[in-house]
Structures are given as C-alpha cells and as structure tokens.
Amino acid sequence: MRKFVAARRVLPTSPFKARTEAPRKHFAVGDRVTHDQYGLGRAIEVEGDSDIAVLVDFGSRRERITQPYATMYKL
C-alpha cells in the first residue's frame, strides 16, 4: 500500500510562517569563492549551470563541490 504525500497547505490565519525555499546559489567560471573548509579559490569548471557541481581551484588543491553549496560563498 502506498502512502499518499500531499503538499502542506498554509492557512492565511495561521500564526506560523510558511516555509520559503532558500534561493539557489549559482556560480560561473572565474568566480572568486570562499569555502569554510578549503579557504579562498576560483571556480574553474561548472557542471549543469551550477546545478550539479562546481570544480574549484584552491591553490594547493582542486575540489569538486556539489549541491547544496551551504559552506561556499561567492565573493
């Protein structure tokens, strides 16, 4: 038996705020970025319009960072 999962409805009179989706981060080739673990770097390759992954050169190493980019920020 399959369980039906419906989207939650927010009533206009509810005292609780509706959940909003955080804006997606988009990176382009050449963007300067900072990462909490690896430090400063530059995006050298973007996979799938930055929806899949970003290859970043941090100087001493190259890392492929995938979605979600919670710890990576554009400078």
Side-chain angles (χ1 to χ4, degrees):
M1 184 169 166
R2 295 175 70 184
K3 186 175 182 180
F4 179 72
V5 179
R8 286 193 165 199
R9 213 172 53 141
V10 179
L11 299 174
T13 58
S14 174
F16 303 104
K17 293 184 178 180
R19 291 184 185 175
T20 57
E21 186 175 322
R24 299 188 78 125
K25 294 181 182 180
H26 291 282
F27 298 98
V29 174
D31 283 348
R32 299 279 298 166
V33 297
T34 181
H35 191 276
D36 290 348
Q37 183 177 357
Y38 304 117
L40 296 173
R42 183 176 303 273
I44 57 174
E45 187 178 332
V46 177
E47 295 178 26
D49 194 31
S50 78
D51 288 338
I52 298 172
V54 177
L55 183 65
V56 182
D57 181 16
F58 290 105
S60 61
R61 66 190 306 169
R62 290 183 177 181
E63 289 291 327
R64 183 177 180 264
I65 312 294
T66 58
Q67 280 277 11
Y69 306 115
T71 59
M72 190 165 75
Y73 305 96
K74 190 185 301 188
L75 297 177

